């Protein structure tokens, strides 16, 4: 006689496939399953709920603002199968949701992403929503801008929407990343405005000058790289690693940017949790720390006059 403890266990998702029917059912299950699995979040979606909602809405070809409208809708078997496929991949392989759907969001903007680029997430995106006010008083006077370390091209696209009269260069050392950036640039019909450039920082920009330079460069230090959750290991190493103290690329940017800014030009750089290390390395640099939704520790601004 087989006791209950000896019976073969049916995977929890098989039970769910047989019993869950509505969008609300699957959303609740996915959130519980993700929390139980101890997944790590923060790559564009901060919580289990956000990731579950993104995966389900994508599978159903619904917009983010349509979740409440269809919560009690019954789903077809193929729809449920696709959702469970996403859920199982997310848990078993620790693949971030944005890579499963090839879609990431910054504010109201959607971008194509895959493992050739880091998943978009930047406090600079928040600052571009206000067109860098109050630091830029006349956005229509911005005629040239640079997105350094562009990755997927997401910030270059936001630059183009913030400064409609600007020609924008989108630079990256990775040709694979630039392929993704080109896809997003053409997707927003901005090929006439944004120019993707293969360059190791400023190496291919000789003679160029910009009114605004933004950069979200690799800034994870060696200690943190060694302890990264499995989800982050799906992202390109080159897009994360900032050297031993996380500031290798930021130092180069600070040392060279003055040569590429116009007289009144601004530099905006995101540096993660490295504010203390940066200020110790550049004790005389008059950094202006910009306020974001997470505080004033993560993005600095400098004028050209501060850099020379």
């Amino acid at each position: 006689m087989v006791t209950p403890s000896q019976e073969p266990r049916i995977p929890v998702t098989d039970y769910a496939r047989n019993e869950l029917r509505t969008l609300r059912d699957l959303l609740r299950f996915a959130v519980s399953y993700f929390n139980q699995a101890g997944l790590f979040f923060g790559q564009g979606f901060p919580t289990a709920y956000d990731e579950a909602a993104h995966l389900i809405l994508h599978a159903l070809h619904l917009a983010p603002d349509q979740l409440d409208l269809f919560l009690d809708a019954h789903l077809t078997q193929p729809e449920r199968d696709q959702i469970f496929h996403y859920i199982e991949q997310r848990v078993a392989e620790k693949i971030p949701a944005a890579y499963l759907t090839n879609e990431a969001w910054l504010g109201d903007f959607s971008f194509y992403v895959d493992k050739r680029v880091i998943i978009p997430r930047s406090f600079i995106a928040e600052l571009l929503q206000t067109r860098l006010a109050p630091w830029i008083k006349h956005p229509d006077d911005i005629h040239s801008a640079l997105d350094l370390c562009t990755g997927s091209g997401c910030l270059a696209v936001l630059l183009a929407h913030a400064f409609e009269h600007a020609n924008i260069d989108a630079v990256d050392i990775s040709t694979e990343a630039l392929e993704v950036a080109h896809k997003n640039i053409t997707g927003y019909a901005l090929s006439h405005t944004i120019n993707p450039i293969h360059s190791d920082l400023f190496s291919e920009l000789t003679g160029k000058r910009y009114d605004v330079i933004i950069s979200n460069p690799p800034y994870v230090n060696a200690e943190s790289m060694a302890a990264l959750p499995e989800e982050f290991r799906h992202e390109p190493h080159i897009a994360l690693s900032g050297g031993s103290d996380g500031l290798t690329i930021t130092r180069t940017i600070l040392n060279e940017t003055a040569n590429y800014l116009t007289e009144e030009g601004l530099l905006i750089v995101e540096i993660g949790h490295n504010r203390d290390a940066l200020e110790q390395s550049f004790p005389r640099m008059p950094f202006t720390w910009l306020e974001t939704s997470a505080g004033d520790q993560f993005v600095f601004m400098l004028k050209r006059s501060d850099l020379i």
Side-chain angles (χ1 to χ4, degrees), residues 8-123:
R9 296 185 63 186
I10 301 174
V12 65
T13 52
D14 286 350
Y15 279 120
R17 286 176 190 271
N18 294 328
E19 297 182 13
L20 304 181
R21 290 291 179 269
T22 67
L23 193 159
R24 186 189 301 272
D25 290 337
L26 271 74
L27 179 61
R28 197 284 309 158
F29 170 79
V31 173
S32 297
Y33 196 42
F34 288 173
N35 286 331
Q36 181 187 22
L39 301 183
F40 191 90
F41 307 102
Q43 291 164 288
F45 301 100
T47 67
Y49 175 87
D50 295 309
E51 283 215 3
H54 172 72
L55 291 172
I56 291 171
L57 290 169
H58 186 88
L60 299 177
H61 307 285
L62 296 175
D65 61 357
Q66 295 178 315
L67 178 63
D68 290 342
L69 183 63
F70 294 108
L71 268 175
D72 294 309
H74 283 246
L75 307 181
T76 67
Q77 187 63 54
E79 288 174 334
R80 296 200 303 274
D81 288 343
Q82 180 61 59
I83 291 169
F84 279 111
H85 175 70
Y86 281 151
I87 291 172
E88 289 165 349
Q89 267 195 297
R90 180 66 183 93
V91 170
E93 302 178 47
K94 302 295 192 296
I95 300 174
Y99 285 155
L100 293 174
T101 62
N102 297 123
E103 181 183 40
W105 289 81
L106 276 179
D108 295 329
F109 291 81
S110 172
F111 298 97
Y112 173 88
V113 295
D114 59 33
K115 291 185 180 181
R116 291 175 290 179
V117 295
I118 193 172
I119 296 168
R121 49 188 184 274
S122 176
F123 293 120

Side-chain angles (χ1 to χ4, degrees), residues 7 19 100 114 138 153 188 192 207 216 233 258 269 295:
E7 293 178 355
E19 297 182 13
L100 293 174
D114 59 33
H138 304 289
Y188 278 98
H192 64 292
N216 185 17
R233 299 184 184 278
V269 181

Side-chain angles (χ1 to χ4, degrees), residues 86-262:
Y86 281 151
I87 291 172
E88 289 165 349
Q89 267 195 297
R90 180 66 183 93
V91 170
E93 302 178 47
K94 302 295 192 296
I95 300 174
Y99 285 155
L100 293 174
T101 62
N102 297 123
E103 181 183 40
W105 289 81
L106 276 179
D108 295 329
F109 291 81
S110 172
F111 298 97
Y112 173 88
V113 295
D114 59 33
K115 291 185 180 181
R116 291 175 290 179
V117 295
I118 193 172
I119 296 168
R121 49 188 184 274
S122 176
F123 293 120
I124 294 175
E126 299 177 12
L127 301 170
L128 290 175
Q129 289 178 356
T130 62
R131 307 173 85 183
L132 298 179
W135 311 107
I136 292 179
K137 293 182 172 58
H138 304 289
D140 289 345
D141 291 341
I142 302 300
H143 298 292
S144 59
L146 169 64
D147 177 19
L148 203 59
C149 307
T150 193
S152 64
C154 57
L155 292 181
V157 169
L158 297 188
L159 269 174
H161 283 84
F163 305 110
E164 296 178 358
H165 300 290
N167 291 313
I168 296 160
D169 287 340
V171 165
D172 207 282
I173 194 173
S174 167
T175 56
E176 290 188 335
L178 289 173
E179 291 170 359
V180 177
H182 182 265
K183 185 177 181 71
N184 285 314
I185 291 165
T186 57
Y188 278 98
L190 290 170
S191 297
H192 64 292
T193 298
I194 303 175
N195 179 34
I197 300 174
H198 180 227
S199 178
D200 183 357
L201 297 180
F202 297 104
S203 64
E204 303 300 320
L205 304 181
T206 302
K208 288 179 173 284
R209 296 273 184 167
Y210 302 97
D211 298 318
V212 175
I213 296 176
I214 65 168
S215 185
N216 185 17
Y219 53 65
V220 182
N221 63 38
E223 182 180 359
S224 296
M225 284 294 296
L228 282 178
E230 191 171 345
E231 282 86 349
F232 284 85
R233 299 184 184 278
H234 289 279
E235 295 186 301
H237 182 277
I238 193 174
L240 294 171
S241 177
S244 59
D245 64 355
L247 297 175
T248 298
I249 295 173
T250 301
R251 284 192 181 88
T252 301
I253 291 172
L254 288 174
N255 290 331
E256 297 185 13
T257 293
N259 299 321
Y260 299 92
L261 282 173
T262 57

Side-chain angles (χ1 to χ4, degrees), residues 127-128 130-139 142 163 211-212 264-268 286-292 299-303 306:
L127 301 170
L128 290 175
T130 62
R131 307 173 85 183
L132 298 179
W135 311 107
I136 292 179
K137 293 182 172 58
H138 304 289
I142 302 300
F163 305 110
D211 298 318
V212 175
E264 302 299 320
L266 297 180
L267 170 67
I268 312 284
F287 297 106
T288 297
W289 293 95
L290 304 184
E291 189 70 34
T292 72
V299 181
F300 69 77
M301 182 194 73
L302 291 166
K303 301 175 183 178
D306 298 328

